[in-house]
Amino acid sequence: GQQLNQSPQSMFIQEGEDVSMNCTSSSIFNTWLWYKQDPGEGPVLLIALYKAGELTSNGRLTAQFGITRKDSFLNISASIPSDVGIYFCAGLVTTSGTYKYIFGTGTRLKVLA
Amino acid sequence: EAGVAQSPRYKIIEKRQSVAFWCNPISGHATLYWYQQILGQGPKLLIQFQNNGVVDDSQLPKDRFSAERLKGVDSTLKIQPAKLEDSAVYLCASSSRVVEKLFFGSGTQLSVL
């Protein structure tokens, strides 16, 4: 089945550092969504991307829709302790005329103050 | 605007028992999803509704899982009988249309003992 590979799986960074993570697949996606999930909560939408090459920002977060449509990237600038959590990408695929979102395995971010 | 509501937040049952989860999507959202999230993994789609019709249930273990959305608004997901491997967080999400952004509820954490 279709899979999304996220990397890195986890990372420890110092407060103030920039963070980069990505999501890759062998399949082509029509839309990319990036979510953050805190413990005991549902994922919260951060950024949505709709076109290949699109670059979108939300505060300190910037995400890009890869030109090949098979990958996406999320950057966090000047990280702060509340950035701790699990970040998921989700790609919209079409299978037999049906659209659905496939989620990645997540990147666990820990910020050291 | 009220978000996606789910209940209960937590449920502990013994294997072979039955359990049901309830979801109320964002008002006006035609598409409703149930995802299963096993610890350490990304959400996996179980079933997708468009209004009160099933769009995709290819990943739903139909021998024990069932879901309905009778009036095109609220939805229930049932497991009967539960197995140990059903321990997970069950997330409900909704979107205004199939290709639009997903918004998640807080989830129901199920523990099967």
Side-chain angles (χ1 to χ4, degrees):
Chain A
Q2 291 146 326
Q3 288 187 320
L4 287 179
N5 301 308
Q6 278 190 252
S7 70
Q9 281 190 325
S10 63
M11 55 196 312
F12 285 83
I13 60 168
Q14 293 284 340
E15 183 177 358
E17 287 185 344
D18 296 344
V19 175
S20 293
M21 60 189 79
N22 66 70
C23 204
T24 61
S25 174
S26 58
S27 303
I28 289 175
F29 292 91
N30 301 307
T31 297
W32 285 96
L33 305 177
W34 283 93
Y35 288 87
K36 178 175 183 276
Q37 187 174 28
D38 292 327
E41 298 295 330
V44 174
L45 182 67
L46 300 174
I47 292 179
L49 301 161
Y50 299 103
K51 295 180 183 178
E54 181 181 353
L55 189 70
T56 298
S57 294
N58 177 8
R60 294 179 296 105
L61 278 61
T62 301
Q64 185 164 22
F65 195 139
I67 292 175
T68 65
R69 294 172 60 194
K70 295 181 180 180
D71 54 14
S72 181
F73 310 89
L74 177 69
N75 295 310
I76 305 173
S77 62
S79 58
I80 59 178
S82 61
D83 290 334
V84 166
I86 305 176
Y87 291 80
F88 290 102
C89 61
L92 181 66
V93 297
T94 307
T95 305
S96 302
T98 300
Y99 291 92
K100 63 180 177 182
Y101 282 98
I102 307 294
F103 279 78
T105 49
T107 292
R108 286 146 188 80
L109 179 63
K110 297 190 179 182
V111 179
L112 305 174
Chain B
E1 181 182 80
V4 177
Q6 287 189 250
S7 66
R9 284 298 308 272
Y10 307 94
K11 191 73 177 179
I12 301 174
I13 61 172
E14 296 190 346
K15 60 183 179 183
R16 291 187 290 272
Q17 285 188 324
S18 302
V19 65
F21 313 124
W22 172 83
C23 173
N24 182 243
I26 292 173
S27 177
H29 279 193
T31 311
L32 184 147
Y33 313 76
W34 284 101
Y35 282 85
Q36 180 193 58
Q37 187 176 25
I38 292 172
L39 187 64
Q41 299 181 16
K44 184 186 87 171
L45 180 66
L46 292 175
I47 189 167
Q48 178 177 331
F49 292 94
Q50 179 70 18
N51 295 310
N52 60 349
V54 175
V55 174
D56 185 338
D57 63 356
S58 58
Q59 299 297 305
L60 188 74
K62 298 181 187 64
D63 57 332
R64 297 184 301 106
F65 286 65
S66 64
E68 60 184 12
R69 193 184 184 200
L70 291 175
K71 297 182 180 179
V73 181
D74 294 8
S75 177
T76 56
L77 176 69
K78 297 180 182 178
I79 307 175
Q80 181 180 8
K83 293 185 176 181
L84 297 177
E85 61 260 36
D86 298 332
S87 294
V89 175
Y90 291 85
L91 294 163
C92 179
S94 70
S95 63
S96 56
R97 295 187 303 141
V98 170
V99 298
E100 289 296 334
K101 297 171 277 193
L102 300 187
F103 294 92
F104 283 88
S106 297
T108 296
Q109 186 170 328
L110 175 67
S111 297
V112 182
L113 307 177

